[in-house]
Amino acid sequence: MPINKKHKRKAIRAAVTLPDPVEWDFRSVTAETFPAVAIYEYARSSKLVTDTWDAWQHSTLPALVCLAGIPDFAHDCPSGYTWDEKKTQTIKSIFDKHCPDGIPLGPRSELAPQDVIHEQLVNLFPSQLSALGLTHMLLSVPQFPAPYFKLSETAQARLNKVPLQIAESKQVAFREADPWENSCHRVFVDWSCELPAIKNDFGLWLEQKLKQQPDLKQQRKYKRTGKAAQSKYEYLKWLAAFRIKNAGIPFDVAQSLLVAARAKHKPRVAQVLCELPIFSQAPNWTDSHKKAAQLIEQMFNTVQHGNFTPTLAVPSELFLSSHK
């Protein structure tokens, strides 16, 4: 006897479960915690970031030896530590043993002599992650890539205090071209005109050129103002859809499970800013997945492609400008 579509959907729904809610239920995120949580969670979904971090965590260093009680070595090693080249230890084991609460970062002058471990780890931090501006975040929360909601309250507090400043790129947005560069434009400027007129005409010329740059169109897609800017909390809604869809759960099944989860589990905040990825139409679900994938690419993978632009030097644009 053939099984009708309704019964088939029920059978699929009964056999499927959503991933752990920490991966998609961001309803407890507040306006204050949103920027750090969003960047942290998007970083967790970047294979480039997680693979680079994991490789570094499992790389090895000479074992650190404390020279306390061995005064003969004090003049050679004022920090009180030295490195034993005959023994090795992983970066992860150093964090677990010596700095499980992360490394407090500040100007190098603030690193006290006894913080030789901190200094060594900072010096060895992967340049690829540093270029993405993740130094403060990852060294402050070495438990990465544990989900935000599985971090201890202390670790969450540290993460939310991380300054969201991203490493500056040496790339200059506007400069005088070298004579051998093929990408430069020949332009004419009538310096006898008033400055406002020159600026106005330059703006018109620039807008025309921007229309011819598809890569820039993609980046401008997320830049909003006014009421539209306030919808940036939906970035976590996109990420939730991205993770659930990547788990192989069909749209209709996912929606049924999410509606049930919304009714069963209440968030810990009075006002929900980051909604669950519940949609009435499948195209919206697919579009959210696509937007999250594009945002991951925009935020983290530009370094891998060798064309780094400091997108996260703009977390202020992507995440910070919407909380009013």
Side-chain angles (χ1 to χ4, degrees):
M1 184 176 179
I3 300 176
N4 63 39
K5 291 183 178 180
K6 184 177 181 181
H7 289 157
K8 187 176 181 180
R9 284 197 298 271
K10 283 186 176 180
I12 293 174
R13 196 173 295 121
V16 172
T17 56
L18 291 169
D20 191 318
V22 297
E23 301 290 348
W24 50 264
D25 190 350
F26 300 112
R27 290 176 298 167
S28 296
V29 174
T30 64
E32 291 73 28
T33 62
F34 170 76
V37 174
I39 295 174
Y40 182 87
E41 286 293 329
Y42 265 91
R44 288 186 59 237
S45 288
S46 167
K47 191 172 186 301
L48 169 67
V49 173
T50 55
D51 284 357
T52 305
W53 174 256
D54 184 67
W56 185 59
Q57 287 279 290
H58 288 88
S59 62
T60 58
L61 282 176
L64 189 69
V65 178
C66 179
L67 298 177
I70 314 178
D72 293 343
F73 292 95
H75 63 282
D76 295 323
C77 193
S79 68
Y81 291 92
T82 190
W83 303 93
D84 186 347
E85 299 288 344
K86 297 179 181 178
K87 299 179 182 178
T88 60
Q89 55 191 344
T90 64
I91 297 287
K92 186 178 186 309
S93 69
I94 296 174
F95 270 106
D96 292 342
K97 183 177 180 179
H98 296 284
C99 35
D101 293 330
I103 298 175
L105 291 179
R108 182 165 295 277
S109 60
E110 293 180 10
L111 286 171
Q114 62 266 31
D115 289 334
V116 62
I117 303 172
H118 293 179
E119 186 168 13
Q120 182 79 338
L121 292 175
V122 171
N123 289 337
L124 293 172
F125 189 76
S127 59
Q128 202 166 27
L129 298 179
S130 179
L132 290 169
L134 296 174
T135 307
H136 281 70
M137 179 170 285
L138 298 185
L139 291 183
S140 296
V141 187
Q143 293 81 7
F144 180 87
Y148 173 78
F149 287 115
K150 285 194 173 180
L151 295 175
S152 66
E153 290 186 5
T154 303
Q156 288 183 9
R158 287 201 312 272
L159 177 63
N160 291 318
K161 290 179 181 177
V162 168
L164 297 180
Q165 298 172 351
I166 304 309
E168 294 180 1
S169 167
K170 292 182 180 179
Q171 179 177 351
V172 178
F174 190 82
R175 61 178 173 79
E176 191 143 339
D178 293 317
W180 54 82
E181 291 192 62
N182 295 325
S183 59
C184 64
H185 295 275
R186 291 187 63 184
V187 297
F188 172 79
V189 180
D190 186 349
W191 297 107
S192 65
C193 294
E194 295 291 332
L195 182 58
I198 294 175
K199 287 182 176 180
N200 180 68
D201 288 350
F202 173 76
L204 294 174
W205 173 84
L206 181 60
E207 281 298 319
Q208 184 63 35
K209 291 298 178 184
L210 288 176
K211 292 176 183 178
Q212 301 169 13
Q213 302 296 322
D215 292 341
L216 288 177
K217 287 180 186 177
Q218 183 64 48
Q219 291 182 27
R220 292 200 305 275
K221 185 176 182 179
Y222 299 107
K223 191 170 182 179
R224 305 177 183 180
T225 57
K227 291 183 179 179
Q230 297 177 16
S231 66
K232 292 186 179 180
Y233 293 116
E234 70 187 1
Y235 289 167
L236 283 177
K237 185 176 181 179
W238 297 349
L239 185 62
F242 175 84
R243 289 175 173 172
I244 295 172
K245 192 172 188 297
N246 281 0
I249 302 177
F251 166 72
D252 56 342
V253 176
Q255 296 307 299
S256 176
L257 294 172
L258 285 167
V259 169
R262 182 175 61 181
K264 185 176 181 180
H265 303 289
K266 302 299 181 183
R268 302 192 301 267
V269 293
Q271 180 185 8
V272 174
L273 300 174
C274 303
E275 298 285 354
L276 294 178
I278 296 175
F279 302 96
S280 58
Q281 298 179 343
N284 294 335
W285 171 258
T286 303
D287 189 50
S288 291
H289 177 277
K290 182 179 179 181
K291 286 177 178 177
Q294 290 173 341
L295 199 50
I296 292 168
E297 173 78 13
Q298 180 187 356
M299 290 169 64
F300 303 115
N301 290 353
T302 46
V303 169
Q304 189 177 36
H305 299 334
N307 184 30
F308 176 56
T309 52
T311 310
L312 272 187
V314 212
S316 49
E317 237 177 75
L318 292 176
F319 298 106
L320 296 176
S321 60
S322 61
H323 310 142
K324 295 184 180 180

